[in-house]
Structures are given as structure tokens and as C-alpha cells.
Amino acid sequence: MTSKTDSEASKTPPRVTSSQDEPVRLKRFYKIVSVQAVSVDGPGPGHHAIHLDDRPIKTPGRNKLALPTAALAAAIGEEWSAQGEFVEPQSMPLTKLSNTIIDGILVDPDAIRKDLAAFANQDLICYRADRPDELVEMQAKAWDPFVKWAQGTFKARPVLTAGIMPVEQSVDYQHGAQAHIAKLEPWALGPIHVMTTLVGSAVMALAHADGTWTAEDVWKAAHVDEDWQAENWGHDAEAAERRKFRTAEMMAAARFLALSRDHS
């Protein structure tokens, strides 16, 4: 008869020990990755789970990794299939964001909604340079279309200011932003929040989610200041490497958003 300890050990993914300075690495413990339809508690569309061999993946919070669309589930399945000898979590941004949504945002979506509303109240597009003229013009060209979008969407024009001193938006603007954000589904809140923190603008992220701008256009608009500085003062290799990494995060969040809405 197999002991309890032996039984549990047979289900534990193998880990590889390492030196004190290196993280423990998880060896790939599965061969086949598949997507299967599953039921979840509460109302909503059918969900899809990722199975590694014959076992479903669970989140760090021990919840089912159940995705709202087959398209998103297939993409996450591809992340797991692409792993080599070791499972590299940093190479699976869709999986990571799904875990965050299931373990956190689905439990308390209002916390993320409040954070997005706070970003909108102190949005990047509202803080403008007063000199030099070239930068002032570049910001206006890149950001004024987002100001127009916010005014039309929130039914109030945001207050703009020169400099970095905080400016409080009108009550009408804040209520308009909150009402728009309240309509967002939890599966959209996750990637929109990621994009917001990366670009420093809830308005830009929301405008992308609305289908008005591509993720590439939003990313470019958000980096007007950085690009101007690089052109005038020189490029920094370390900053360029950080931006490359953050660009990948941005595009992964945008892809996640699109896949989470793809019910085809």
C-alpha cells in the first residue's frame, strides 16, 4: 500500500535546488497541454481550463485557472507548451495576469476600479511642459486627442496644468470617469490596470480598451517626454533595456485584453 507521503510526492512537480544566490527552478513535469471546457460558480459564459497531462492548473491561490474565452485559454496553453526543460514564469505573462485576476480582481474588482479612477484624476495627459516650445508642441500633438476622447467619454473636459503640482479634476469629470470604469468587466480591468501603470495614464489605457487607439500608438504617445530627452541629451542603454522589457509587458496586456473579449 502506498503511503500518504509517497502519494503526495508523486503529484509534486520536481524542483531543482540551486545556490543561495539563485532562485529555485521548476523542472517541466508534464508532456501534454490541453484546453477543456469547465463549469464555474456563478453566472457568465462557459469557461475553459488548461490541463497539464490529466490535471488542471490551479492559481497560486489554489483556484481553478478558468478562462472566459477559448482564445485566451488557447494562448495560455501555448505559453505552457512552449516551456523547455524548466518552467520559466517570466515567459508566461498571460498566465501571470490570469492568476492575478482570478485570485484578486474577481474577489474585489472595486479596488481596481478605484485605483483606475485615481489615475484618471491625476492623469499624465493633464500635466504639460511650459518649455521648450518643441516639447510643448509634441505633447499637445500626442495628448490633445486623448483629452478630446476623455471629454467626450466622461462628459467633462479634464483640467490641464503646466508643471507637476497636483491639479484636482472637476466633480463632473471624476464622476464621468468612475461611471465609465464601473462598466468594465473584471477580466478587462486586469490588463487595463497593467497598461495604466506602465504608461501613467488611465485615459490612454481606457481609450485603447475602447478601440480608439492601438497599443502601439498609446505606447508612443506616453513616451513623448522620454523620446524628446533621448533625442536632445542622448540615449541611455540601461533605460533602453528597461523600456524594451516594459514594451513587452504593454503588448502582452493588450493581447490579453483582446483575447479575453474574443468569443468567436
Side-chain angles (χ1 to χ4, degrees), residues 1-12:
M1 181 177 179
T2 304
S3 69
K4 180 179 179 181
T5 301
D6 291 339
S7 177
E8 290 176 347
S10 67
K11 298 180 180 180
T12 302

Side-chain angles (χ1 to χ4, degrees), residues 72-86:
L72 180 58
I76 291 176
E78 289 171 3
E79 287 186 337
W80 286 88
S81 294
Q83 301 304 301
E85 180 183 0
F86 296 95

